[in-house]
Amino acid sequence: NTVKLIVNFTDGMFKGIYHGKQCHSADLPSVLARAWAAGVDRIIVTGGSLKESREALEIAETDGRLFCTVGVHPTRCGEFEESGDPEGHFQALLALAKEGIEKGKVVAVGECGLDYDRLQFCPSDIQKKYFEKQFELAEAVKLPMFLHMRAAGEDFSEIVSQNLYRFPGGVTHSFTGTAEERDKLLSIENMFIGINGCSLKTKENLEIVGGIPAERMMIETDSPYCDIKNTHAGIQFVKSIWPSKKKEKYEPGLTVKGRNEPCLVRQVLEVVAGCKGIADIEGLSKTLYHNTCRLFFPHDIDASADAQLESGGVTAEQNS
């Protein structure tokens, strides 16, 4: 099966750095090799600040299967005003997004949104101001949005709803909200819900995820975070295991214990299938893959449709 997913390759863990300490050598090539071998088709590298978005674009340029986002995470929105020139900071983001689009690499604006769990990093008024501002970015470059919502469902839904005309669609990733928040997101046209290990911790989480139609869902790892742990309710459905070693005993061919990585998206797929009672896991994978193409790579679907027309056409099931 083939999957596209979101990861944080700019994180120091992929350079072998944990909490400021060098534990092993940089190993991104090994991580990517495992991803491709596991059936991952393309990876979107997340930008969370202007600096990080530049790094994400640099990483994306190293492989034809890597893409990226440009945007500012809610906990980093203070950087607009700390720059001393908020509008200039915005224009730099816009210029970077345009550069990345020309290179065929930038496929979304983000990661942006609201995070009221971590107000110590950025107060809510600043978060709201620059979340709203980034809809201008999406409107200017006509890209979908990669969104973050934590403990801020009401304000998030209100801001998104007020700006629906400015962006072609989005995914609210790493969803950990209530059934009510899920339904609110599903009521927003062309909004998908992104599921990872953090979405699958408790029995209640599994029930809430079970209520998301497959046609409105995407899966991701959000690595190096959000792995599925042995204490999580979702672990009962995990079948695929990769051998791992602690970071202090690192071996190039093995995963690092506690560090999530793209190949493990297979586990997310298995848990989603399990909690939805879906036996056809490969069919589910194709649906989720198609959702991701629709949002981030619509030209792929257009090209596929054109090819079908030229060849006399195939059924939708064959093309899912």
Side-chain angles (χ1 to χ4, degrees):
N1 65 297
T2 45
V3 181
K4 296 187 181 83
L5 72 157
I6 302 288
V7 300
N8 298 282
F9 277 153
T10 59
D11 192 278
M13 287 189 223
F14 294 110
K15 301 180 182 81
I17 301 167
Y18 302 75
H19 307 296
K21 182 184 175 189
Q22 187 82 44
C23 293
H24 59 78
S25 59
D27 67 337
L28 192 52
S30 297
V31 170
L32 286 172
R34 277 191 290 274
W36 311 138
V40 173
D41 186 56
R42 291 182 225 187
I43 293 172
I44 301 170
V45 185
T46 315
S49 66
L50 176 58
K51 177 177 179 288
E52 208 175 72
S53 296
R54 283 200 187 103
E55 292 172 9
L57 178 56
E58 287 172 12
I59 292 170
E61 289 183 80
T62 64
D63 191 298
R65 296 162 288 188
L66 297 179
F67 301 85
C68 67
T69 72
V70 168
V72 181
H73 190 281
T75 60
R76 321 246 190 102
C77 277
E79 73 175 44
F80 282 95
E81 295 185 2
E82 286 159 15
S83 71
D85 180 6
E87 186 56 34
H89 200 74
F90 175 81
Q91 291 300 326
L93 273 174
L94 178 58
L96 181 65
K98 286 179 174 176
E99 177 194 338
I101 290 166
E102 283 176 17
K103 290 175 174 175
K105 289 296 179 181
V106 172
V107 295
V109 168
E111 173 178 0
C112 57
L114 299 175
D115 190 326
Y116 291 178
D117 258 355
R118 291 182 280 181
L119 294 174
Q120 70 270 30
F121 297 116
C122 185
S124 60
D125 58 330
I126 298 293
Q127 288 191 31
K128 285 193 282 190
K129 180 178 180 180
Y130 291 104
F131 180 27
E132 191 114 36
K133 182 72 174 170
Q134 290 182 80
F135 285 93
E136 283 183 39
L137 182 56
E139 188 174 27
V141 295
K142 298 180 174 59
L143 285 181
M145 299 187 82
F146 180 60
L147 298 163
H148 178 105
M149 180 188 83
R150 185 177 293 176
E154 199 170 319
D155 286 354
F156 178 93
S157 295
E158 185 179 334
I159 291 172
V160 170
S161 297
Q162 288 169 353
N163 289 277
L164 275 178
Y165 66 96
R166 308 177 89 167
F167 68 109
V171 57
T172 302
H173 97 115
S174 196
F175 180 75
T176 56
T178 63
E180 188 181 359
E181 288 171 335
R182 171 200 67 196
D183 294 343
K184 185 75 173 172
L185 290 174
L186 291 173
S187 74
I188 299 172
E189 191 178 353
N190 213 21
M191 178 65 72
F192 294 86
I193 299 177
I195 301 303
N196 59 33
C198 288
S199 313
L200 306 164
K201 288 182 178 180
T202 67
K203 186 171 179 287
E204 185 187 12
N205 288 154
L206 297 184
E207 289 169 1
I208 290 167
V209 168
I212 303 171
E215 294 73 24
R216 297 292 296 281
M217 184 190 291
M218 294 183 194
I219 56 173
E220 58 168 354
T221 56
D222 199 32
S223 73
Y225 323 112
C226 299
D227 55 326
I228 298 172
K229 301 186 187 302
N230 289 333
T231 53
H232 291 178
I235 196 72
Q236 63 182 298
F237 298 115
V238 170
K239 298 180 179 68
S240 302
I241 305 291
W242 277 258
S244 65
K245 282 275 179 83
K246 289 182 179 178
K247 57 186 180 294
E248 295 82 5
K249 298 184 175 182
Y250 173 81
E251 285 186 29
L254 306 181
T255 66
V256 176
K257 197 171 182 63
R259 181 187 72 172
N260 202 2
E261 62 174 76
C263 65
L264 299 174
V265 74
R266 178 75 192 187
Q267 296 182 341
V268 180
L269 175 66
E270 289 166 353
V271 178
V272 168
C275 73
K276 289 181 75 64
I278 294 174
D280 180 11
I281 195 165
E282 303 310 328
L284 174 63
S285 176
K286 286 178 182 177
T287 298
L288 300 174
Y289 178 83
H290 182 75
N291 295 345
T292 317
C293 284
R294 268 178 60 199
L295 189 66
F296 297 118
F297 302 92
H299 52 276
D300 286 3
I301 292 178
D302 294 342
S304 174
D306 289 345
Q308 287 172 43
L309 287 171
E310 287 171 17
S311 65
V314 294
T315 65
E317 287 77 17
Q318 288 172 292
N319 186 45
S320 61

